[in-house]
């Protein structure tokens, strides 16, 4: 097989990387610069140069990536490339420990615990130690496994992890430290290793045994590591130890795309590579084959403000293109409307749905957009973070809303009742049976008779529903009351991350601004996606909604980055230091996913936890982009945008008012300016209730009560002194 001429297949920088075989090499591969192609040709060139394939090691972060690279190298020079050792850090560590585990006191036949095994073992030991069980607020098994893994990968220890990221769990710190100690001892006694142990034990073997280090250095004389910016401290240490005797290591990565610190990735590893390996040759791949120069001018400006970085400037190999566009929205509802309208326009102009992605910092930021796309029957998938109506805490609150509408909704009732400690299926069956017998199920729930410990909680649920059904509150305030009632249950069920979940519930309350009643809101949030055709539907037929972390490595013709406001992006907790720097790199990663069209969206008002709708400042990252690099799209309202100094600035002179829920369906039905005095309704009039939705008055019962037949929930008798009832158009 003839080896293709390198100079005809690689640009000068790629060629230099493929031809440099000896010594430490650091390849800084900018976004869209062809790093995979470079690695493939280097593997092929190493083998073609006479180096035995088994002396070459290619480490990647997925098994598929290594397999694909070696397969492509084989296509260049033949099947010998398939003999190159390739795979993930964990897979490689496992294969080495099958030979050297005895150095660390493990038999070669050790068993690997998968994720679920590790969770079950941690839960079992927590119960044995008396930390978990009825009446305890200790984290659940999935959270325990996550905590143990984070502490190991990030080299923080349990103390550091709790103090830095989980202060709400500090009361459980001593118990958690006891559990980790017992867990590690149990694994050693029973010859078990979890996923993280593979790296830790392999690192320890290399550190403690010189003969093993020398044997590995002699065996693998050429080491390549892909995505080096994503390595953690342990992985970087393993590479340094395995290169004993030769230092022939090529690390390929991009410091500007280091965004996985929450998984343990250490940004310093790629920056410090030249220090760890003296004499390192640094090669920069700056030719971008993905995007256009106007987009790259913007992304270059984004990363130029990074405090620590390898300086580089991406240069487009494509011609043409238009500058990125910034839409200044009134609020997140208006932002969602703009995004949906722009997507509709693109599809009508010939774009496939799969050629567009909406990217966001956190999963709940897309909730408004999910609802808007469903309303317009635009199919989408979501990557990273659950769909709004699928998250457990969101479902819990939606079930409470369902009970307001229909107290005999058995599925919703069961889900709510099962939140209560020690209340099981039999208890729930008795409660439901008792409610069914009554003409007033909620009254029966309010006075439910039982000596069980959960009795007061059940009666409290009844009182909550009864009170909200006869309230003058609007939908947003009703959701706030439901959230207040639910909070102690949330804290007990999800102790590991309830602050984050509470924030998402506040955001759900913000979404209620677009609805006039609970019936219409629930219909939207649980509405199914459009039916797939007979041939089936795949990702290529759908808009992609994705967190930025889940979008890394992917690309689309059109990318829309939403919620570019302080508190959203960067997040509230990333005010300075390393956290803020990683937020900037996240913005860079998101922006470099676009091939043709790049949009930024900034909502002038956002929903803030505990405060409701509040004015928001533009993201500091937007301000760092020169104003001549961006085209401004103004909201249909009166927000204005101007250049001021070195970057973009925003002012909102017309945003002194709040936006209420009359916006959502004003085009369909016009609500009266204010509720009439009690007794002023007439039979036959159309009215709306904040929970039951629209209906028609069927009977006037004196001056205080009316009967209304609601479109979705049937006939109900309402007391006008309490019920918030308003006229609507016919």
């Amino acid at each position: 097989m003839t080896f293709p001429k390198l100079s005809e297949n690689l640009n000068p920088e790629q060629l230099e990387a493929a031809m440099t075989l000896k010594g430490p090499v650091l390849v800084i591969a900018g976004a869209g610069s062809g790093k995979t192609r470079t690695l493939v040709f280097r593997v092929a060139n190493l083998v073609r140069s006479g180096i035995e394939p088994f002396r070459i090691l290619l480490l990647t972060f997925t098994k598929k990536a290594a397999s694909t690279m070696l397969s492509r190298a084989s296509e260049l020079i033949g099947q010998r490339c398939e003999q190159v050792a390739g795979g993930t850090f964990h897979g490689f560590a496992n294969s080495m420990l099958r030979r050297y585990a005895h150095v660390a006191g493990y038999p070669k036949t050790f068993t690997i615990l998968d994720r679920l095994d590790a969770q079950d073992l941690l839960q079992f030991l927590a119960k044995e130690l008396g930390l978990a069980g009825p009446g305890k607020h200790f984290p659940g098994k999935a959270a325990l496994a996550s905590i143990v893994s984070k502490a190991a990968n990030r080299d923080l220890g349990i103390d550091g992890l709790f103090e830095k990221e989980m202060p709400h769990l500090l009361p459980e710190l001593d118990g958690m430290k006891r559990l980790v100690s017992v867990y590690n001892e149990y694994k050693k006694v029973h010859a078990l290793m979890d996923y993280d142990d593979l790296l830790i034990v392999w690192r320890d073997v290399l550190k403690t045994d010189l003969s093993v280090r020398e044997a590995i250095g002699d065996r693998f004389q050429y080491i390549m590591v892909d995505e080096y910016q994503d390595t953690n401290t342990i992985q970087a240490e393993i590479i340094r130890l395995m290169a004993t005797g030769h230092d022939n290591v090529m690390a390929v990565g991009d410091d500007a795309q280091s965004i996985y610190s929450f998984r343990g990735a250490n940004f310093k590893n790629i920056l410090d590579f030249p220090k760890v390996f003296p004499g390192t040759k640094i090669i920069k791949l700056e030719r971008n084959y993905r995007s256009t120069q106007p987009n790259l001018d913007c992304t270059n400006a984004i990363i130029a403000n990074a405090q620590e970085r390898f300086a580089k400037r991406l240069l487009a190999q494509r011609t043409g293109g238009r500058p990125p566009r910034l839409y200044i929205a009134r609020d997140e509802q208006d932002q969602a409307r703009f995004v949906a309208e722009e997507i509709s326009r693109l599809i009508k102009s010939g774009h496939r749905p799969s050629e567009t992605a909406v990217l966001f910092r956190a999963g709940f930021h897309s909730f408004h957009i999910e609802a808007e796309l469903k309303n317009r029957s635009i199919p989408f998938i979501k990557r990273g973070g659950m769909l709004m109506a699928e998250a457990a805490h969101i479902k819990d609150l939606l079930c409470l809303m369902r009970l307001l509408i229909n107290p005999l909704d058995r599925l919703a009732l069961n889900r709510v009742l099962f939140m209560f400690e020690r209340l099981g299926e039999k208890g729930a069956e008795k409660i439901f049976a008792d409610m069914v017998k009554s003409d007033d199920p909620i009254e029966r729930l309010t006075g439910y008779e039982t000596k069980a410990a959960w009795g007061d909680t059940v009666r409290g649920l009844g009182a909550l529903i009864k009170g909200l059904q006869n309230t003058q509150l609007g939908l947003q305030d009703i959701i706030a009351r439901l959230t207040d009632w639910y909070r102690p249950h949330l804290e007990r069920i999800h102790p590991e991350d309830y602050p984050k979940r509470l924030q998402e519930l506040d955001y759900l309350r913000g979404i209620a601004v677009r609805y006039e009643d609970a019936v219409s809101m629930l219909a939207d949030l649980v509405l199914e996606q459009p039916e797939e055709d007979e041939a089936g539907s795949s990702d290529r037929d759908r808009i992609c909604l994705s967190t930025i972390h889940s979008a890394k490595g992917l690309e689309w013709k059109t990318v829309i980055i939403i919620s570019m406001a302080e508190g959203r992006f960067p997040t509230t907790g990333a005010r300075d230091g390393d956290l803020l720097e990683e937020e900037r790199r996240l913005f860079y990663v998101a922006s470099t996913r676009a091939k043709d069209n790049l949009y930024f969206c900034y909502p002038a008002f956002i929903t803030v936890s505990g405060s409701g709708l509040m004015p928001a400042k533009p993201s500091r990252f937007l301000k760092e982009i020169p104003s001549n690099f961006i085209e401004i799209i103004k909201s249909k309202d009166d927000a204005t945008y101007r250049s001021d100094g070195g970057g973009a600035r925003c002012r909102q002179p017309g945003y002194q008012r709040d936006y209420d829920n009359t916006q959502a369906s004003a085009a369909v039905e016009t609500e009266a300016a204010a509720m009439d005095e009690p007794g002023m309704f007439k039979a036959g009039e159309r009215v709306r209730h904040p929970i039951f939705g629209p209906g028609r008055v069927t009977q006037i019962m004196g001056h205080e009560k009316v009967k209304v037949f609601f479109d979705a929930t049937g006939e109900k008798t309402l007391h006008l002194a309490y019920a918030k009832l308003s006229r609507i158009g016919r």
Side-chain angles (χ1 to χ4, degrees), residues 650-665:
C650 187
R651 55 189 173 89
Q652 308 92 26
Y655 286 137
Q656 300 308 311
R657 66 186 184 280
D658 201 352
Y659 288 91
D660 60 33
N661 57 12
T662 58
Q663 296 172 350
S665 59

Side-chain angles (χ1 to χ4, degrees), residues 62 85 229 456 484 500 506 508 527 592 599 620 622 659 678 681 689:
T62 67
Q229 78 280 351
D456 287 342
D484 289 342
K500 170 179 171 288
D506 276 339
L508 181 69
L527 187 67
T592 54
Y599 294 84
R620 68 193 70 190
L622 287 178
Y659 288 91
F681 294 100
H689 187 274

Side-chain angles (χ1 to χ4, degrees), residues 401 405 474-476 478-479 512-523 661 664-665 669 671 687-695 710 712 728:
M401 289 177 65
I405 297 166
L475 182 58
Q476 284 186 293
I478 288 171
I479 293 175
V513 73
R514 62 189 294 142
Y515 300 100
E516 295 183 280
D517 54 74
V519 168
S520 58
M521 181 173 175
L522 284 171
N661 57 12
S665 59
E669 298 176 316
E671 185 172 337
V687 294
R688 181 185 298 280
H689 187 274
I691 294 175
F692 306 125
F710 290 100
I728 58 177

Side-chain angles (χ1 to χ4, degrees), residues 210-276:
L210 176 61
S211 64
V212 174
R213 283 203 305 278
E214 291 176 339
I216 295 300
D218 182 62
R219 164 73 189 278
F220 300 106
Q221 296 183 359
Y222 298 86
I223 300 173
M224 286 178 283
V225 186
D226 189 20
E227 304 285 10
Y228 195 77
Q229 78 280 351
D230 293 335
T231 56
N232 62 28
T233 301
I234 300 169
Q235 290 165 330
E237 195 173 357
I238 286 172
I239 295 300
R240 172 65 273 182
L241 292 166
M242 291 200 305
T244 296
H246 58 73
D247 284 3
N248 294 327
V249 177
M250 174 180 277
V252 181
D254 184 3
D255 54 294
Q257 297 189 68
S258 179
I259 60 173
Y260 292 119
S261 65
F262 69 96
R263 293 182 186 168
N266 188 345
F267 172 68
K268 301 291 185 182
N269 287 347
I270 193 166
L271 294 179
D272 292 343
F273 187 89
K275 300 176 186 176
V276 174

Side-chain angles (χ1 to χ4, degrees), residues 582-622:
E582 181 152 324
E583 294 287 303
R584 179 178 284 107
R585 296 193 295 270
L586 269 168
F587 185 33
Y588 175 80
V589 167
S591 301
T592 54
R593 300 307 95 198
K595 293 195 285 187
D596 297 333
N597 306 307
L598 178 59
Y599 294 84
F600 307 125
C601 291
Y602 155 60
F605 275 76
I606 62 174
T607 302
V608 178
S609 179
S611 302
L613 200 63
M614 299 290 289
K617 295 179 180 179
S619 169
R620 68 193 70 190
F621 302 140
L622 287 178

Side-chain angles (χ1 to χ4, degrees), residues 403-642:
L403 290 179
L404 294 178
I405 297 166
N406 176 16
L408 295 180
D409 181 336
R410 190 166 188 178
L411 290 177
L413 180 66
N414 280 356
R415 184 178 183 93
V416 173
L417 293 178
F418 290 161
M419 295 179 200
F420 307 160
E421 288 189 279
R422 301 179 186 275
L423 200 165
E425 290 186 15
K426 290 185 178 179
E429 287 177 6
K430 290 180 180 179
I431 292 170
F432 182 76
D434 197 54
M435 291 173 66
V436 169
K437 296 175 185 176
S438 175
D439 292 334
D440 190 343
I442 290 302
E443 187 65 34
R444 183 62 64 95
L445 189 65
T446 303
Y448 186 74
E449 295 183 4
T450 179
K451 295 181 180 179
W454 40 258
D456 287 342
T457 310
V458 168
R459 290 185 285 271
L461 172 64
L464 173 76
I465 296 172
K466 183 177 181 180
L468 290 178
Q469 284 183 338
N470 297 294
T471 183
Q472 292 282 354
L473 297 175
L475 182 58
Q476 284 186 293
D477 290 328
I478 288 171
I479 293 175
R481 291 281 181 90
L482 291 175
T483 301
D484 289 342
W485 179 88
Y486 173 56
R487 177 169 181 158
H489 301 285
L490 176 68
E491 292 180 4
R492 176 177 52 81
I493 298 167
H494 301 286
E496 71 283 357
D497 64 351
Y498 71 82
K500 170 179 171 288
R501 294 175 188 259
L502 276 172
Q503 184 182 18
E504 294 180 2
L505 291 176
D506 276 339
Y507 197 78
L508 181 69
R509 181 188 173 197
I511 288 175
V513 73
R514 62 189 294 142
Y515 300 100
E516 295 183 280
D517 54 74
V519 168
S520 58
M521 181 173 175
L522 284 171
D524 262 7
L525 299 190
V526 301
L527 187 67
E528 293 297 329
Q529 288 290 310
E531 297 253 345
E532 297 181 358
D533 57 32
E534 292 183 5
S537 181
S538 66
D539 292 3
R540 66 177 177 274
D541 302 313
R542 300 172 183 268
I543 300 297
C544 181
L545 307 183
S546 178
T547 60
I548 298 168
H549 286 101
S550 297
K552 188 171 180 291
L554 303 176
E555 59 184 38
W556 295 268
K557 279 190 175 181
T558 299
V559 168
I560 305 171
I561 305 172
I562 64 169
S563 296
M564 293 300 304
E566 289 289 307
R568 288 280 187 265
F569 198 177
T571 60
T572 304
R575 299 185 184 278
D576 50 35
D578 291 344
L579 292 177
L580 180 61
E581 287 301 295
E582 181 152 324
E583 294 287 303
R584 179 178 284 107
R585 296 193 295 270
L586 269 168
F587 185 33
Y588 175 80
V589 167
S591 301
T592 54
R593 300 307 95 198
K595 293 195 285 187
D596 297 333
N597 306 307
L598 178 59
Y599 294 84
F600 307 125
C601 291
Y602 155 60
F605 275 76
I606 62 174
T607 302
V608 178
S609 179
S611 302
L613 200 63
M614 299 290 289
K617 295 179 180 179
S619 169
R620 68 193 70 190
F621 302 140
L622 287 178
K623 296 178 182 179
E624 293 174 352
I625 302 171
S627 57
N628 59 309
F629 284 1
I630 299 179
E631 291 181 2
I632 307 302
I633 307 173
K634 294 180 182 178
S635 166
K636 293 179 180 179
D637 261 19
D638 50 5
T640 60
Y641 196 90
R642 60 183 172 84

Side-chain angles (χ1 to χ4, degrees), residues 139 142-152 158 161-162 166 169 176 180 496:
L144 290 174
S146 176
I147 290 168
V148 170
S149 181
K150 281 184 178 181
I158 298 298
L161 182 66
F162 275 33
M166 302 177 177
L169 285 180
M176 193 70 210
V180 171
E496 71 283 357

